[in-house]
Structure formats: structure tokens, C-alpha cells
Amino acid sequence: MKTKVFLLTVMIFPIVAIGQINQKNVTEVKVTPPSFTGIQKFIVESESGQNDPLGVYFSEHFKYPEFALECMMQGTAVIKFNVTPSGELTNFEIINSVCREVDEELIRVLKTTSGMWKPGLNNMKPVDMEKEISIMLVASQKIKNKNNPKAYFIKLARNHFIKANILFLERHNLKKALKNYDQTIKYLPYDAPSLLVRGLCRYELGDLEGARNDWERINRIGSFDASSYLDELASLKGYDEMSATLEK
């Protein structure tokens, strides 16, 4: 039986490279993020049920690497890149990896969209702007709602998160806990509680840079109130640095 691949693309976090701005004039800056235009055939709804132009484009062009498909490599890939004033794409970076083969195929397809983008605008002027997209890839047939893979990923991530918390906070098995936090974030890369606790786990293992990256990632995502988690985590070594990072 042929395995169906599900893709969901979401635009998140456009950042404008506007250089130095006088603080008094910041409120006058009008920013419009870049957007994928594609061509007309990808704007209409496809057989996959998607009506997002970039999601449809990936559905038509992405080829799941055979090795990754056989090994059930799945998750939510997050890719960051720049859209130039001419609509070209540069500076590709994998923020959340599914596996090397899948990452490479995603970037290959993304590169073919270069020139199909409407650039970001700063006060109506095209500028170089950072863009981030996420793509959900499901290799399993064990999914009830094939039009909503997110529910399936939430269930998998929740199981890993609970196991990771027991290993970390109760049994102090940091290495095994980290592996489960990694799996949680592989499915749900924008889950702030998972990033927060994984950062503390990394800190306790001596990976200070990794810990700070997780906490800074929370700030980049935004809209997260950590207060409900802090009491339970206050005894951990990285607590003070985590709090300072989240307050930036």
C-alpha cells in the first residue's frame, strides 16, 4: 500500500532587516511580510484538500526520501530563509529537523520557489526579510483523521513529554529525558513548555548554548506565560538564567 504524505505549511515570524531606526519614529514603520504567490494552478484547492498555495506546491513537488519513509521518519520541519527584494530566496537554515534526507528534500523544493515570492515591504519599499515556515510530514498509516495530522502529532508529543518529565524531574535520568524532549519538539516545535523544560535539561547536562537557544526560541515565538511552570522548576540549576532569558 502506498504511504500517503501529508503536508501543512504555515508562515510564521517575518523579520525585517531595517537597520537603524530612530526610536521616536518606530511606530510609523509599516511592515508587510513576504508571501508566496506561485502560479495559478497551485492557488486552487488540490486533491489533498489544501488551499494554501505553498502547501499545495509542496504537495505536488515534494518526494519523500525512500529511506526516511521506510524508517518512519516524520515530524514538523521548520525552515528559515530570507526573501530578497526581487523575490529570490537565500540563507536557508533548518530550525527543526525531521532527518537529514527529509531536510535536504524540503530545501530542494523550497529553492524551486525562488522568484515566486512577493517581497516583504518596509513603508511600501521592498526589503530583504526573514521568513520561517513549518511543514508537517506524516509517514504513518496509523492516523484517524487524514486531513488533520496535527491531532496525531499532539498525541505522540504528549506521550514523549510526560515520559521526559518523569525521567528528568523524578528519576534524574537526564540523557533519556533529553531524547524524549527532542521527540516532543520534533513533532511540536512551537510548544513553549517543551522548549522551556528541555532548556533546563540541557543546562543540567552542561549544554549552556543549547539551553539558551531553547529559551530564546520561546521569546521569538512569543505569547507564553511561564509563571505556571516556574514553581516546580525553581530548584533546578538553570532556573535563574532561564528566567533572565525569558524576561528579555
Side-chain angles (χ1 to χ4, degrees):
M1 181 181 295
K2 185 178 179 181
T3 302
K4 178 69 175 178
V5 178
F6 302 94
L7 301 174
L8 174 64
T9 305
V10 182
M11 181 278 293
I12 306 174
F13 311 132
I15 299 177
V16 190
I18 52 181
Q20 297 295 324
I21 301 177
N22 188 310
Q23 192 67 28
K24 295 180 180 179
N25 296 327
V26 170
T27 56
E28 299 177 8
V29 176
K30 182 178 180 181
V31 174
T32 304
S35 58
F36 177 73
T37 58
I39 56 179
Q40 187 61 38
K41 70 171 289 188
F42 298 112
I43 295 178
V44 299
E45 185 169 336
S46 72
E47 294 181 359
S48 65
Q50 297 190 61
N51 53 20
D52 169 68
L54 188 56
V56 173
Y57 189 92
F58 267 96
S59 295
E60 298 288 341
H61 290 78
F62 177 83
K63 297 179 180 179
Y64 222 120
E66 184 176 348
F67 169 79
L69 197 57
E70 291 176 354
C71 296
M72 295 292 293
M73 297 292 185
Q74 58 185 9
T76 303
V78 178
I79 308 172
K80 183 173 70 174
F81 53 93
N82 280 49
V83 181
T84 70
S86 62
E88 303 295 321
L89 305 188
T90 63
N91 301 332
F92 299 92
E93 180 183 353
I94 298 293
I95 302 299
N96 198 61
S97 172
V98 173
C99 70
R100 180 179 59 81
E101 292 82 1
V102 169
D103 297 343
E104 290 175 352
E105 174 63 6
L106 289 171
I107 289 179
R108 181 195 70 78
V109 175
L110 195 55
K111 285 181 176 179
T112 67
T113 71
S114 193
M116 299 182 183
W117 291 77
K118 181 179 179 180
L121 303 177
N122 175 28
N123 283 341
M124 305 306 295
K125 180 181 178 181
V127 294
D128 192 81
M129 190 177 294
E130 197 172 88
K131 179 87 169 179
E132 185 175 295
I133 63 170
S134 63
I135 304 170
M136 299 181 71
L137 299 110
V138 182
S140 175
Q141 289 285 344
K142 297 178 180 180
I143 174 172
K144 294 181 179 179
N145 186 350
K146 296 184 177 182
N147 292 322
N148 182 22
K150 186 174 182 179
Y152 171 65
F153 277 6
I154 288 174
K155 181 179 179 180
L156 294 176
R158 182 177 181 274
N159 291 338
H160 282 292
F161 186 66
I162 292 172
K163 185 177 180 180
N165 284 343
I166 293 173
L167 288 166
F168 179 33
L169 302 174
E170 296 182 15
R171 301 180 185 175
H172 306 288
N173 190 331
L174 305 185
K175 291 184 178 180
K176 285 189 177 180
L178 181 59
K179 289 181 180 180
N180 280 277
Y181 286 129
D182 287 344
Q183 287 298 310
T184 302
I185 293 166
K186 183 176 182 179
Y187 291 115
L188 301 179
Y190 297 108
D191 187 65
S194 299
L195 288 166
L196 183 145
V197 189
R198 186 179 74 170
L200 284 169
C201 186
R202 283 176 160 178
Y203 194 97
E204 299 249 339
L205 282 166
D207 181 9
L208 306 189
E209 181 180 359
R212 295 188 191 105
N213 287 342
D214 279 344
W215 301 329
E216 289 171 358
R217 182 73 179 158
I218 294 171
N219 280 336
R220 180 180 174 88
I221 294 170
S223 302
F224 174 62
D225 181 8
S227 58
S228 61
Y229 296 88
L230 298 185
D231 290 341
E232 184 178 357
L233 305 175
S235 62
L236 298 173
K237 288 189 297 184
Y239 175 84
D240 290 337
E241 186 168 343
M242 176 193 70
S243 299
T245 303
L246 292 176
E247 290 172 0
K248 289 181 181 179

